[in-house]
């Protein structure tokens, strides 16, 4: 078992923001296990990729057992699994609703329930969910995505109240416009318009988000819980 530093489990760690988070912790000596759905991403001596569809409870159970076998119970969970669907709200069907909610929020529910018992037993641990600024204000043509992220925010606040007495902190990072594969569906004109609305006049990077996540699991944030930390370049002020 890798024992030099704490163990962090990252769900959705194969690409984009999730891959950035995996690399950020790995470079700082943490044991990092991560779930991916289709293809693995980062690799390394202290990195364990595990294939898992977070919408499938039996797969989550099996994948989490592999995590335990390799590195023991994680001290930290970072939930980054997520998908987005774009379209008018009345064009979405029930299967769309289930796919977005089960991935963006349902998987968080399942994995939080996995890590909480050991954290409570040890009176130590932290949970960080990757939300979105659209969960705070809503986005036209992304109603399902926005709703799923709003659910993340509410659950984070509830868990923070519930788990605080056990020494467990629960927070969310709420990214703005981040330069990942998810931005590929936007035209150059749309990207330019979003950058123009961002006071810092650029898109964020996965490292920008990873640094905020790392902060929320560090001793520097020991009196912070139940917060939705915006990493959006000032897009929402």
């Amino acid at each position: 078992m890798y024992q030099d530093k704490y163990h962090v489990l990252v769900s959705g760690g194969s690409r984009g923001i999730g891959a950035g988070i995996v690399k950020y912790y790995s470079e700082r000596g943490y044991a990092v296990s991560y779930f991916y759905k289709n293809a693995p991403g980062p690799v390394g001596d202290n990195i364990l990729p595990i294939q898992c569809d977070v919408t499938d409870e039996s797969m989550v159970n099996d994948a989490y057992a592999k995590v335990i076998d390799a590195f023991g119970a994680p001290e930290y969970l970072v939930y980054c699994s997520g998908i987005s669907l774009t379209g008018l709200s009345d064009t979405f069907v029930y299967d769309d609703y289930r796919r977005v909610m089960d991935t963006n929020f349902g998987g968080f529910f399942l994995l939080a329930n996995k890590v909480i018992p050991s954290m409570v037993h040890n009176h130590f641990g932290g949970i960080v969910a990757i939300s979105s600024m659209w969960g705070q204000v809503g986005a036209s043509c992304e109603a399902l995505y926005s709703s799923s992220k709003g659910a993340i925010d509410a659950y984070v606040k509830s868990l923070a109240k519930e788990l605080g007495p056990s020494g467990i902190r629960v927070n969310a990072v709420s990214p703005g416009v981040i330069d990942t594969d998810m931005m590929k569906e936007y035209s150059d004109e749309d990207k330019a318009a979003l950058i123009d609305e961002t006071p810092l006049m650029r898109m964020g990077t996965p490292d920008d988000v990873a640094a905020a996540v790392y902060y929320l699991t560090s001793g520097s944030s020991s009196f912070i819980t139940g917060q939705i930390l915006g990493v959006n370049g000032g897009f929402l002020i």
Side-chain angles (χ1 to χ4, degrees):
M1 182 185 298
Y2 188 83
Q3 294 179 322
D4 288 351
K5 284 198 176 181
Y6 291 125
H7 170 203
V8 57
L9 168 60
V10 181
S11 180
S14 61
R15 58 193 181 95
I17 290 173
I21 292 168
V22 168
K23 293 173 185 175
Y24 203 92
Y25 277 94
S26 173
E27 289 166 358
R28 284 152 181 81
Y30 284 68
V32 185
S33 53
Y34 74 88
F35 292 168
Y36 67 91
K37 185 176 181 181
N38 296 314
V43 295
D45 291 340
N46 58 336
I47 299 175
L48 175 68
I50 302 172
Q51 190 167 23
C52 178
D53 180 348
V54 295
T55 69
D56 185 320
E57 185 176 11
S58 64
M59 287 189 71
V60 169
N61 291 340
D62 290 344
Y64 192 69
K66 294 177 182 177
V67 166
I68 297 296
D69 287 344
F71 292 147
E75 283 79 20
Y76 300 109
L77 167 67
V78 180
Y79 190 79
C80 197
S81 296
I83 58 172
S84 176
L85 294 179
T86 303
L88 296 174
S89 59
D90 63 353
T91 64
F92 294 131
V93 297
Y94 183 74
D95 284 348
D96 295 328
Y97 160 74
R98 284 262 52 100
R99 188 154 64 97
V100 172
M101 291 301 295
D102 287 351
T103 302
N104 296 3
F105 176 69
F108 180 47
F109 165 78
L110 291 174
L111 275 174
N113 280 355
K114 285 293 181 187
V115 302
I116 285 171
S118 62
M119 291 182 182
V120 169
H121 176 76
N122 295 325
H123 211 75
F124 179 83
I127 297 172
V128 180
I130 303 302
S131 181
S132 167
M133 63 181 180
W134 302 132
Q136 296 170 265
V137 299
S140 176
C141 297
E142 289 190 85
L144 287 179
Y145 178 79
S146 300
S147 298
S148 68
K149 295 300 186 176
I152 287 280
D153 291 350
Y155 203 59
V156 160
K157 293 175 183 179
S158 296
L159 286 180
K161 291 180 178 180
E162 183 177 319
L163 299 174
S166 297
I168 302 161
R169 297 186 296 111
V170 187
N171 294 285
V173 170
S174 180
V177 183
I178 307 297
D179 190 13
T180 66
D181 289 346
M182 197 174 281
M183 291 300 298
K184 287 183 177 179
E185 64 181 84
Y186 290 84
S187 67
D188 289 340
E189 292 77 12
D190 289 338
K191 291 177 184 178
L194 288 168
I195 290 171
D196 191 54
E197 289 186 65
T198 304
L200 290 183
M201 297 302 295
R202 69 172 176 88
M203 286 194 285
T205 68
D207 265 3
D208 290 325
V209 181
V213 171
Y214 185 81
Y215 166 71
L216 289 173
T217 61
S218 73
S220 298
S221 62
S222 62
F223 200 53
I224 297 176
T225 196
Q227 302 304 302
I228 314 300
L229 177 59
V231 181
N232 56 47
F235 195 104
L236 298 185
I237 294 177

